[in-house]
Structures are given as C-alpha cells and as structure tokens.
Amino acid sequence: MAGTCDGPVLQAGKRQRQRYVTKVGKCQVNLGNIQEKKRFLSDIFTTIVDLKYRWFLFVFMMCYIVTWVVFGTIYFFDAWVRGDVGHRGDPEWPACIENIDGFVSALLFSVESQRTIGYGSRMVTANCAEGVILLMAQSIVGSMIDALMVGCMFVKISRPKKRAQTLIFSKNCVISRRDEQLCLMFRVGDLRDSHMVDAKIRAKLIKSRQTAEGEFIPLEQSELNLGYDTGEDRLFLVEPQIICHVINHRSPFWDMSAESLRREQFEIIIILEGIVEATGMTCQARTSYTEDEILWGYRFEPCMSLEKGAFRVDYSRFEMTFEVQTPAASAKELHELKELEQQEHSTLSLYWDHLLQPCALPGPAEDALPGLSIPGSRDKLLEPGGST
C-alpha cells in the first residue's frame, strides 16, 4: 500500500519541480539585491530596448512630453519676465516671442518648434538672444531624442528574438540505438522559408552534484557533445533534422540505464544559434528537457516525402514517435557485454583454428600453442581416433 500511495506523490513532485529554462526558452532566474544599478544607466540604449513594451512606450512618450513641458515653461517664464505676456497684440512692443499670452500658448510653441510644425502665429524674433539660444537648444535636444527613440523602436520591433518563435523543437527526447550505439536524440525545425545562416546547436546538462570533498554544487553545467569534433553541430536547417548525442564514455549518461533514468533529476538545455538571413542579426532559440520528457526505446517518425519533384515536410508528424526494441541496460553495460562477446568469439576462433590444423605434424607442433587455456583441448587431441 505504501508503494501505491507514494508513487503518484513522487510523480506529482517531479511535474511541479522548478525548471531552469522553460519549453519556450525563457530562463527562470530572477536577479536580486543588485547594488550597482547605475551600471544599467551606463548602457541606456540596451536598457531601453530590454524594457517590456508597456514600459518602453511609456518612456517613449515621456521623453517627448517632458521636453515639451520643460521648454514650454522656459519660454513662458522668459516671455513673462520680458513683459511679452502683457503686451500681446501691441504692434509697438519689441516682443521676444510673439503671441505668447500664457503657459498653454508657450507649450504649443514648444511643440511646434521641436516637431518643426511652425503654424506661423507664434515665433521667436530677433529682439532677444535668449530666445534664439533656447530655440537652438530645443532643436538639438529634439534631434537627439528622435535618434534615440526611433533607433530603439526599430531595434525593438526587428529584434531576432521574434525570429526564434518560428524555430521549433520536439516536445520529447528519445533514446534508442543508432549504428549499434545508444543515442539520445531530439528534433529541430524551421517554419520559415528564409533559412538561418550558419546555424549551430549545442546542449548543456544542468544537474546538481556533490563533490568527493562534500561540496554541493547546485545546477552544475556540463557540455553534451552534439558532433562538435565532426562538424555535425553545424546545421543546414532547411528541413527538420534529428540531432543525435552519442552516449559514449565521455557522455554524462554513460552509466544511466532505463531504470536509473526514472530516479534521476536533471535538465537538458538546447541552444540553437544562427544568423537571420533577412536582417543579418544573430538569433538564439532555447528549450529544455527534463528527465520525465525523455522516452527510452523510441524513435522519431519520418516527416519528409517526395512530392511533385520537390521534398514536402509534414509538420503534423513532427512530434510523432514509435517504439523500437532497445536494451534497458546502460551504454556502459552494453559496451562491456560487447567486449566480453568479442573476447569469447576470439577465444573460440583460436580454439577452432588449432583443431583444424593438420594432424600429421611432428610432436613439437602439438605444443605450438602452450598459452591456449581451453579445458580438455589437449586431451581430446591425444585421444584414440583423434588423428588419422
């Protein structure tokens, strides 16, 4: 009864545990207690671009509204000090800024000047130097704000982060044999016709461990080889491809069997990088797989076919898998078993080669293989009828 009660609880605990990276590639890491926040202001462009859209639009609007109000206040104060407000409409009064009778009119003049609207009813005259200086200062500040905000808006809209939405990964990993080797495989695909240039893929294993000295290392990162030494990690991503990690003696899964996989807790982070063909910007797409998203003894179904002189990709079969016969033992155990079979095969071959030698050889030839340790082999050769 205890086993039946604890099983669902353990499975529920596995489903609810925290992921390092979500399936859509968002890192679940919150930064806190940052003391030197002035570092963000030193890179104001990246800070603004990284803002969420609601805050970005708020900053965008406030940059213009604040400058309009500030310069409008300065214009109104200058006109009030010089007496232009009280002498509006007096043709004999040497006004600095014409047709300014209050703060609202000064604010309208500020907007018209910075946005180069120029309705003509309000203008700076040559009767004061400060008005000309203020107009020049506002023009420079307005140009700087335009350059910053328009640049941020363009980068925000054309960020390659949105291109990553059309790069898809299979929901599950599979483990099965390929070319007589146990392999961990997953599938990637690109939904757009404009392909990624110089696409590269890599994988990280996130797993906590304790060292021999007793130190606990949380979320240690180790590399999974996806063909870096052979160049297989560089993809020509025109059709869905199955990425393979060979489980050899350098793999973290070397000692892992189908039974031990259920008891492990780890996460595999997949990172796909490439250059967007349309913009030339670098794009990165991420996903992750936990231990309960790995299917042991399965293989992906083909999703490509030849149709009317071209290859057709059926993305409805992108996630489909089918079960294949796969040993439940670890790759290390399979390797040791294979080596043992090879040793037994070589021993038997040597034994049969010795039996098939010509029996009319002189006496010393019988001791030609003194190191051959096969029980009863020498006795059989010396039995009556053993030679002709």
Side-chain angles (χ1 to χ4, degrees), residues 208-220:
S208 302
R209 73 177 182 94
Q210 191 170 7
T211 63
E213 295 77 14
E215 178 188 4
F216 180 73
I217 304 177
L219 304 178
E220 184 186 38

PDB file of all heavy atoms in Angstrom, residues 208-220:
ATOM      1  N   SER A 208      22.588  19.012 -10.305  1.00  0.00           N
ATOM      2  CA  SER A 208      23.281  19.258  -9.039  1.00  0.00           C
ATOM      3  C   SER A 208      24.052  18.012  -8.637  1.00  0.00           C
ATOM      4  O   SER A 208      23.625  16.887  -8.897  1.00  0.00           O
ATOM      5  CB  SER A 208      22.282  19.631  -7.944  1.00  0.00           C
ATOM      6  OG  SER A 208      21.532  20.779  -8.311  1.00  0.00           O
ATOM      7  N   ARG A 209      25.199  18.229  -7.994  1.00  0.00           N
ATOM      8  CA  ARG A 209      26.001  17.092  -7.544  1.00  0.00           C
ATOM      9  C   ARG A 209      26.826  17.490  -6.326  1.00  0.00           C
ATOM     10  O   ARG A 209      26.969  18.674  -6.005  1.00  0.00           O
ATOM     11  CB  ARG A 209      26.926  16.589  -8.649  1.00  0.00           C
ATOM     12  CG  ARG A 209      28.117  17.481  -8.947  1.00  0.00           C
ATOM     13  CD  ARG A 209      29.020  16.871 -10.005  1.00  0.00           C
ATOM     14  NE  ARG A 209      30.200  17.691 -10.261  1.00  0.00           N
ATOM     15  CZ  ARG A 209      31.368  17.506  -9.647  1.00  0.00           C
ATOM     16  NH1 ARG A 209      31.511  16.534  -8.754  1.00  0.00           N
ATOM     17  NH2 ARG A 209      32.405  18.275  -9.925  1.00  0.00           N
ATOM     18  N   GLN A 210      27.343  16.479  -5.671  1.00  0.00           N
ATOM     19  CA  GLN A 210      28.191  16.660  -4.509  1.00  0.00           C
ATOM     20  C   GLN A 210      29.568  16.108  -4.806  1.00  0.00           C
ATOM     21  O   GLN A 210      29.713  14.975  -5.275  1.00  0.00           O
ATOM     22  CB  GLN A 210      27.593  15.976  -3.280  1.00  0.00           C
ATOM     23  CG  GLN A 210      28.279  16.350  -1.974  1.00  0.00           C
ATOM     24  CD  GLN A 210      27.511  15.845  -0.763  1.00  0.00           C
ATOM     25  OE1 GLN A 210      26.543  15.107  -0.914  1.00  0.00           O
ATOM     26  NE2 GLN A 210      27.921  16.238   0.423  1.00  0.00           N
ATOM     27  N   THR A 211      30.604  16.903  -4.535  1.00  0.00           N
ATOM     28  CA  THR A 211      31.966  16.500  -4.838  1.00  0.00           C
ATOM     29  C   THR A 211      32.468  15.500  -3.800  1.00  0.00           C
ATOM     30  O   THR A 211      31.812  15.226  -2.783  1.00  0.00           O
ATOM     31  CB  THR A 211      32.888  17.732  -4.864  1.00  0.00           C
ATOM     32  OG1 THR A 211      32.915  18.324  -3.556  1.00  0.00           O
ATOM     33  CG2 THR A 211      32.385  18.752  -5.869  1.00  0.00           C
ATOM     34  N   ALA A 212      33.653  14.951  -4.063  1.00  0.00           N
ATOM     35  CA  ALA A 212      34.254  13.999  -3.132  1.00  0.00           C
ATOM     36  C   ALA A 212      34.604  14.647  -1.801  1.00  0.00           C
ATOM     37  O   ALA A 212      34.681  13.980  -0.772  1.00  0.00           O
ATOM     38  CB  ALA A 212      35.515  13.388  -3.764  1.00  0.00           C
ATOM     39  N   GLU A 213      34.816  15.971  -1.811  1.00  0.00           N
ATOM     40  CA  GLU A 213      35.127  16.685  -0.567  1.00  0.00           C
ATOM     41  C   GLU A 213      33.888  17.112   0.197  1.00  0.00           C
ATOM     42  O   GLU A 213      34.009  17.751   1.249  1.00  0.00           O
ATOM     43  CB  GLU A 213      35.981  17.922  -0.873  1.00  0.00           C
ATOM     44  CG  GLU A 213      37.353  17.624  -1.438  1.00  0.00           C
ATOM     45  CD  GLU A 213      37.316  17.250  -2.919  1.00  0.00           C
ATOM     46  OE1 GLU A 213      36.274  17.480  -3.561  1.00  0.00           O
ATOM     47  OE2 GLU A 213      38.325  16.721  -3.414  1.00  0.00           O
ATOM     48  N   GLY A 214      32.701  16.800  -0.317  1.00  0.00           N
ATOM     49  CA  GLY A 214      31.473  17.150   0.377  1.00  0.00           C
ATOM     50  C   GLY A 214      30.863  18.467  -0.054  1.00  0.00           C
ATOM     51  O   GLY A 214      29.849  18.889   0.509  1.00  0.00           O
ATOM     52  N   GLU A 215      31.457  19.144  -1.065  1.00  0.00           N
ATOM     53  CA  GLU A 215      30.907  20.412  -1.538  1.00  0.00           C
ATOM     54  C   GLU A 215      29.699  20.154  -2.434  1.00  0.00           C
ATOM     55  O   GLU A 215      29.759  19.326  -3.344  1.00  0.00           O
ATOM     56  CB  GLU A 215      31.967  21.186  -2.319  1.00  0.00           C
ATOM     57  CG  GLU A 215      31.460  22.504  -2.882  1.00  0.00           C
ATOM     58  CD  GLU A 215      32.452  23.162  -3.820  1.00  0.00           C
ATOM     59  OE1 GLU A 215      33.513  22.539  -4.095  1.00  0.00           O
ATOM     60  OE2 GLU A 215      32.176  24.285  -4.277  1.00  0.00           O
ATOM     61  N   PHE A 216      28.615  20.863  -2.194  1.00  0.00           N
ATOM     62  CA  PHE A 216      27.405  20.731  -3.002  1.00  0.00           C
ATOM     63  C   PHE A 216      27.408  21.794  -4.090  1.00  0.00           C
ATOM     64  O   PHE A 216      27.506  22.989  -3.801  1.00  0.00           O
ATOM     65  CB  PHE A 216      26.154  20.863  -2.131  1.00  0.00           C
ATOM     66  CG  PHE A 216      24.876  20.736  -2.914  1.00  0.00           C
ATOM     67  CD1 PHE A 216      24.451  19.510  -3.408  1.00  0.00           C
ATOM     68  CD2 PHE A 216      24.095  21.865  -3.177  1.00  0.00           C
ATOM     69  CE1 PHE A 216      23.279  19.401  -4.137  1.00  0.00           C
ATOM     70  CE2 PHE A 216      22.923  21.759  -3.900  1.00  0.00           C
ATOM     71  CZ  PHE A 216      22.514  20.522  -4.377  1.00  0.00           C
ATOM     72  N   ILE A 217      27.328  21.362  -5.337  1.00  0.00           N
ATOM     73  CA  ILE A 217      27.323  22.282  -6.481  1.00  0.00           C
ATOM     74  C   ILE A 217      25.915  22.275  -7.061  1.00  0.00           C
ATOM     75  O   ILE A 217      25.505  21.306  -7.700  1.00  0.00           O
ATOM     76  CB  ILE A 217      28.344  21.861  -7.553  1.00  0.00           C
ATOM     77  CG1 ILE A 217      29.734  21.746  -6.942  1.00  0.00           C
ATOM     78  CG2 ILE A 217      28.345  22.852  -8.709  1.00  0.00           C
ATOM     79  CD1 ILE A 217      30.799  21.275  -7.915  1.00  0.00           C
ATOM     80  N   PRO A 218      25.137  23.341  -6.844  1.00  0.00           N
ATOM     81  CA  PRO A 218      23.784  23.379  -7.411  1.00  0.00           C
ATOM     82  C   PRO A 218      23.807  23.787  -8.879  1.00  0.00           C
ATOM     83  O   PRO A 218      24.547  24.687  -9.285  1.00  0.00           O
ATOM     84  CB  PRO A 218      23.080  24.441  -6.556  1.00  0.00           C
ATOM     85  CG  PRO A 218      24.183  25.355  -6.126  1.00  0.00           C
ATOM     86  CD  PRO A 218      25.434  24.511  -6.006  1.00  0.00           C
ATOM     87  N   LEU A 219      23.022  23.098  -9.659  1.00  0.00           N
ATOM     88  CA  LEU A 219      22.839  23.434 -11.075  1.00  0.00           C
ATOM     89  C   LEU A 219      24.165  23.510 -11.822  1.00  0.00           C
ATOM     90  O   LEU A 219      24.458  24.473 -12.525  1.00  0.00           O
ATOM     91  CB  LEU A 219      22.079  24.765 -11.212  1.00  0.00           C
ATOM     92  CG  LEU A 219      20.716  24.835 -10.509  1.00  0.00           C
ATOM     93  CD1 LEU A 219      20.113  26.212 -10.681  1.00  0.00           C
ATOM     94  CD2 LEU A 219      19.777  23.768 -11.037  1.00  0.00           C
ATOM     95  N   GLU A 220      24.979  22.473 -11.666  1.00  0.00           N
ATOM     96  CA  GLU A 220      26.240  22.437 -12.400  1.00  0.00           C
ATOM     97  C   GLU A 220      25.982  22.219 -13.888  1.00  0.00           C
ATOM     98  O   GLU A 220      25.129  21.408 -14.270  1.00  0.00           O
ATOM     99  CB  GLU A 220      27.128  21.323 -11.855  1.00  0.00           C
ATOM    100  CG  GLU A 220      28.503  21.302 -12.506  1.00  0.00           C
ATOM    101  CD  GLU A 220      29.335  20.113 -12.061  1.00  0.00           C
ATOM    102  OE1 GLU A 220      28.752  19.026 -11.897  1.00  0.00           O
ATOM    103  OE2 GLU A 220      30.549  20.263 -11.883  1.00  0.00           O
TER     104      GLU A 220
END
